[in-house]
Amino acid sequence: MSLSPGAPEFADAHAIGMLDGFGLAVKYVRAEGNTLYHDDGEGGEIGVLDLACGFGSLILGHNNPEIVAHAKQLLDEQVAVHAQFSGYSFGIDVAAALNRIIRRELGTDEKFYGLFGNSGAEAVEIAIKHAEMDRGMRAAELLESIDGNVEKATEAVRGGAAVAEEALTSLGVTSFDALVAEVRRRNTEVAARQPLFLALEGGFHGKLVSSIQLTYNSDFRTPFRALAAQARFVPSDQVELAAKIIEEERVALLDLVVRDGVVELAERDFPVFGAFFAEPIMGEAGIKPLTTETARALREVCDAAGIPLVADEIQSGMGRSGSFFASVHCDLRPDYIILAKSLGGGIAKTGVVLVRESRYRRDFELLHTSTFGKDGFSSRIALKLLELLEADDGAAYRMAAERGAKAKAAMEAVAAEFPDVFKEVRGRGLMLGIQFHDQENSDNEVFREWSEHHVFLFAVAGYLLHEKRIRIFSTASNPNTLRFEPSIYITDEEIDRFAEGLRDVARLVRAKDADALARTGASS
């Protein structure tokens, strides 16, 4: 089932070696629905129930027949994939369709403008760039206003206005000209300060140069900290601490104002933070939905600080939660919305950032471009995906909610049978997680070693793959949680099959039978 040892590998050799230790290195050759197929070595194939489904990319399953038929039609019709810088694109239609959904689900009539890329991580990068451009323009407007005030103060002094003694002494100068020079020097220093972003502890927003700085897992982030603007992280259950962080990072520009014939020194808060990023369901943190209290606190913090709130719906969006936007369930009211993964219908690579009109900087359209962003093929696949999700008054969303409720109940039943093995079942719709108790203090040495190296669930995944033909993985930043993200077409039989697989795993964990669990012979 695994790739043959010693096979020459020119990519992913290290990763393959690690996966192969748990029997997880498999070459899949075909896929449909919730099933992946690999060769059986004798000219046939073996089907595997795929509960990872592209980590949330397959809301309609592998190679959905209607999506595939549409793709074939587009190619047969010689779709214009590349028509860059022509103004009109099918991305406009995608943005229009998404705005209709925004109006319905988020209850706003304000427009959201679309900016397109090729993936979720790239869409996050686009959001970061746009937020930084917005911050920079706000800072420039503030500096321009201060320059105007300095000119007014200069004219006032020439006309006989006095200079407040406190203004001079506070900056250690003795003349108005020296005061102006010191104000400008200090403001130049403040304006050169690097921006910061806010994000939630446990959050995941990608692994590109800037997006990795917003990803909480230090294993992913630390090697690349020097490359881009940094983030300050806030506990998701203590969002009020963001106000303290904002105050800690506060810097002010100096301004000169004329009051009653006297030139006085004033402070103007400099925009330090570009945006606050949050996932309405925190995926890699272990499938943790935000509470309504947290979502509303995020909005309050952002409004008070004058910074945009960004909802990362890359994994949770496109109906997976039972609504198109998972933000609906916690009353998250974002200024930016990021979508990707399932937006490509399972076969195209696309991502989009939707920016509220009151926050949108139209010049960004000329400064950020992408060869494949909103190309003719991926955009029309996205349109078909949206059409299918919206069909029959949103039947797909109801399916996600109903299938998810059944799956969650099945997992909760297993967890109730084995409370010593499972800690909690979390999530909404078809974005669910079941968390195991940590094995760091297990009586079994192998269990402890797996736990220490954060690969205990790799062994579980290997067992389920080989013994039950179920493919599932842990979340990236919570290694004790299995993620459950199938398509809306998952059947009762498949849910029951997974539940029985969990029961078998739980029996082995309870018995501390590492040998049976590690059928591939892995020990670390």
Side-chain angles (χ1 to χ4, degrees), residues 119-410:
S119 68
E122 185 179 334
V124 172
E125 297 275 326
I126 293 170
I128 291 170
K129 282 183 64 178
H130 186 279
E132 171 55 13
M133 181 176 177
D134 175 48
R135 188 197 71 88
M137 292 178 75
R138 285 186 284 122
E141 290 162 4
L142 184 56
L143 286 164
E144 184 178 357
S145 173
I146 290 173
D147 284 344
N149 288 341
V150 170
E151 290 300 318
K152 291 177 183 177
T154 301
E155 289 297 320
V157 169
R158 288 172 182 165
V163 180
E165 186 65 25
E166 183 180 354
L168 298 172
T169 57
S170 65
L171 298 190
V173 296
T174 58
S175 69
F176 177 73
D177 287 345
L179 176 67
V180 170
E182 183 63 11
V183 164
R184 287 178 169 154
R185 186 194 70 78
R186 294 194 183 195
N187 284 353
T188 298
E189 188 176 275
V190 168
R193 174 173 175 156
Q194 291 296 304
L196 289 170
F197 289 83
L198 289 165
L200 294 178
E201 290 184 1
F204 184 94
H205 301 285
K207 295 180 181 176
L208 297 182
V209 170
S210 294
S211 58
I212 193 65
Q213 314 303 333
L214 308 178
T215 292
Y216 184 68
N217 189 321
S218 60
D219 291 342
F220 298 147
R221 175 169 42 89
T222 301
F224 312 105
R225 286 194 63 193
L227 294 179
Q230 298 299 295
R232 292 290 305 271
F233 293 97
V234 182
S236 61
D237 59 349
Q238 293 180 287
V239 174
E240 66 277 5
L241 293 180
K244 181 180 179 182
I245 292 172
I246 290 169
E247 182 59 30
E248 287 174 358
E249 299 290 351
R250 178 182 177 271
V251 292
L253 294 168
L254 298 178
D255 196 1
L256 296 179
V257 295
V258 181
R259 294 192 183 97
D260 299 326
V262 178
V263 175
E264 299 177 349
L265 196 64
E267 288 188 347
R268 300 284 183 263
D269 282 347
F270 182 74
V272 173
F273 289 93
F276 200 144
F277 282 73
E279 304 160 88
I281 302 177
M282 300 177 70
E284 305 310 325
I287 317 296
K288 297 180 178 180
L290 293 188
T291 65
T292 299
E293 292 74 20
T294 294
R296 291 175 179 171
L298 284 168
R299 184 69 269 172
E300 291 173 7
V301 165
C302 289
D303 287 344
I307 60 177
L309 175 58
V310 182
D312 182 339
E313 292 254 20
I314 291 167
Q315 190 170 179
S316 62
M318 282 67 67
R320 182 158 294 281
S321 69
S323 296
F324 188 88
F325 297 111
S327 295
V328 170
H329 303 294
C330 61
D331 197 30
L332 188 66
R333 301 289 174 175
D335 300 299
Y336 294 31
I337 304 169
I338 308 176
L339 300 170
K341 287 190 181 287
S342 282
L343 187 62
I347 64 171
K349 298 176 182 179
T350 189
V352 64
V353 183
L354 298 155
V355 183
R356 188 184 293 273
E357 184 175 27
S358 57
R359 285 284 183 182
Y360 189 62
R361 298 290 186 172
R362 63 182 184 176
D363 288 345
F364 188 82
E365 297 172 16
L366 304 178
L367 298 179
H368 180 91
T369 57
S370 170
T371 299
F372 286 93
K374 64 176 181 283
D375 70 82
F377 180 76
S378 66
S379 295
R380 292 178 72 177
I381 293 296
L383 283 171
K384 185 64 176 179
L385 180 279
L386 296 175
E387 174 192 318
L388 294 174
L389 290 179
E390 291 283 292
D392 299 324
D393 196 28
Y397 312 137
R398 295 191 294 276
M399 288 179 67
E402 186 275 328
R403 294 285 80 196
K406 182 171 180 62
K408 190 174 186 182

